[in-house]
Amino acid sequence: MHCRSCALVTSSGHLLGSKQGDRIDEAECVIRMNDAPTRGYGRDVGNRTSLRVIAHSSIQRILRNRNELLNMSHGAVFIFWGPSSYMRRDGKGLVYNNLQLMNQILPQLKAYMISRHKMLQFDDLFKRETGKDRKISNTWLSTGWFTMTIALELCDRINVYGMVPPDFCRDPNHLSVPYHYYEPLGPDECTMYISHERGRKGSHHRFITEKRVFENWARTFNIHFFQPHWKPEPLTASEPGVKAAV
């Protein structure tokens, strides 16, 4: 798969009322995450799907909503990620077993799993970019991390919709939006980001740290951010790289 232009559509509440749908659908490839729906939200998030990156924790919701998410995504590719124990092929791998079930229901489905070797590469990339070991810092890489990294391999240009800059939530007057555009009564986005970033007990996503990495990548790669629209500031001499908060 190779795309000259990609629309990477987040699940952020910043997309509500954005009217970005037509612009998103103009991209050669449209990339979505987990079970984020398009039906009923097309005006803001578009209707096309070329690639959907799905976490192991979302696979049951994908199965429940398969008529909408799978049947409506004609020709789309689905990539599933999760711990290696979920990918086992000996009957004990939850993701693998569910993918076999999905293949029986929808034999035309183009579904793939991220291999253990590739997962280790993602871990190494996180450590290289942040200086922190993912496991030691009790960090789970987010679906956004996998999606952005996969997009870098596939796309010449990436337009990201709905991703805020890393310091957005520090502003006391920041806009409050739901974490998911399709769950308007769900948790607040910045509350979710900050709680995960500061969490030390148990495993957490480091959403803000990941956004610092994405901001840094955008200085080198053809990545652009919309809704909200922002552009990374040039690094100063005292900022040689990403400052990790994990």
Side-chain angles (χ1 to χ4, degrees), residues 20-197:
Q20 294 283 355
D22 289 343
R23 187 176 183 182
I24 288 170
D25 282 341
E26 287 174 357
E28 181 179 357
C29 297
V30 180
I31 304 173
R32 304 185 190 276
M33 289 177 261
N34 292 321
D35 56 326
T38 57
R39 180 181 292 170
Y41 300 95
R43 189 178 185 187
D44 294 330
V45 306
N47 294 290
R48 295 178 49 239
T49 303
S50 311
L51 174 70
R52 191 179 284 271
V53 182
I54 302 167
H56 61 95
S57 55
S58 296
I59 195 166
Q60 294 299 329
R61 296 196 300 273
I62 293 290
L63 284 170
R64 285 198 298 271
N65 299 322
R66 62 181 179 270
N67 289 333
E68 177 182 352
L69 294 173
L70 303 181
N71 288 334
M72 289 182 64
S73 303
H74 299 296
V77 173
F78 295 81
I79 299 180
F80 292 83
W81 70 271
S84 57
S85 59
Y86 283 64
M87 307 298 189
R88 294 171 56 169
R89 304 187 181 195
D90 59 358
K92 299 180 181 179
L94 177 62
V95 171
Y96 184 75
N97 291 346
N98 277 306
L99 286 184
Q100 283 192 313
L101 175 61
M102 289 170 62
N103 185 247
Q104 293 173 8
I105 298 171
L106 296 168
Q108 75 279 14
L109 184 69
K110 300 176 183 177
Y112 300 87
M113 298 187 304
I114 296 179
S115 67
R116 183 175 183 274
H117 174 71
K118 193 69 172 178
M119 290 288 290
L120 292 175
Q121 288 183 333
F122 284 125
D123 284 357
D124 290 343
L125 179 63
F126 182 82
K127 185 173 183 179
R128 187 164 67 246
E129 295 291 343
T130 66
K132 299 290 184 179
D133 183 276
R134 180 190 69 76
K135 292 182 180 179
I136 293 175
S137 60
N138 290 328
T139 298
W140 277 106
L141 299 175
S142 74
T143 303
W145 176 270
F146 291 107
T147 305
M148 180 70 84
T149 309
I150 290 168
L152 282 174
E153 295 187 14
L154 301 180
C155 310
D156 294 337
R157 176 189 171 104
I158 305 170
N159 290 340
V160 185
Y161 293 87
M163 184 178 291
V164 299
D167 293 330
F168 177 85
C169 296
R170 287 185 177 182
D171 184 345
N173 298 315
H174 69 262
L175 181 66
S176 177
V177 301
Y179 178 59
H180 289 146
Y181 67 79
Y182 50 92
E183 295 177 332
L185 300 181
D188 173 76
E189 182 176 77
C190 276
T191 300
M192 181 73 77
Y193 287 172
I194 292 170
S195 65
H196 272 262
E197 192 74 12

Side-chain angles (χ1 to χ4, degrees), residues 3-7 23 151 155-159 222-224 226:
C3 310
R4 291 183 298 275
S5 65
C6 290
R23 187 176 183 182
C155 310
D156 294 337
R157 176 189 171 104
I158 305 170
N159 290 340
N222 199 3
I223 303 173
H224 307 269
F226 301 94

Side-chain angles (χ1 to χ4, degrees), residues 163-171 190 193-194 197 207-216 219 225 230-233 242-243:
M163 184 178 291
V164 299
D167 293 330
F168 177 85
C169 296
R170 287 185 177 182
D171 184 345
C190 276
Y193 287 172
I194 292 170
E197 192 74 12
F207 293 115
I208 297 174
T209 293
E210 290 184 1
K211 285 173 176 53
R212 289 196 179 99
V213 175
F214 300 156
E215 179 184 44
N216 198 43
R219 296 185 176 103
F225 300 95
W230 59 279
K231 185 176 181 180
E233 296 291 333
V242 175
K243 295 180 179 179

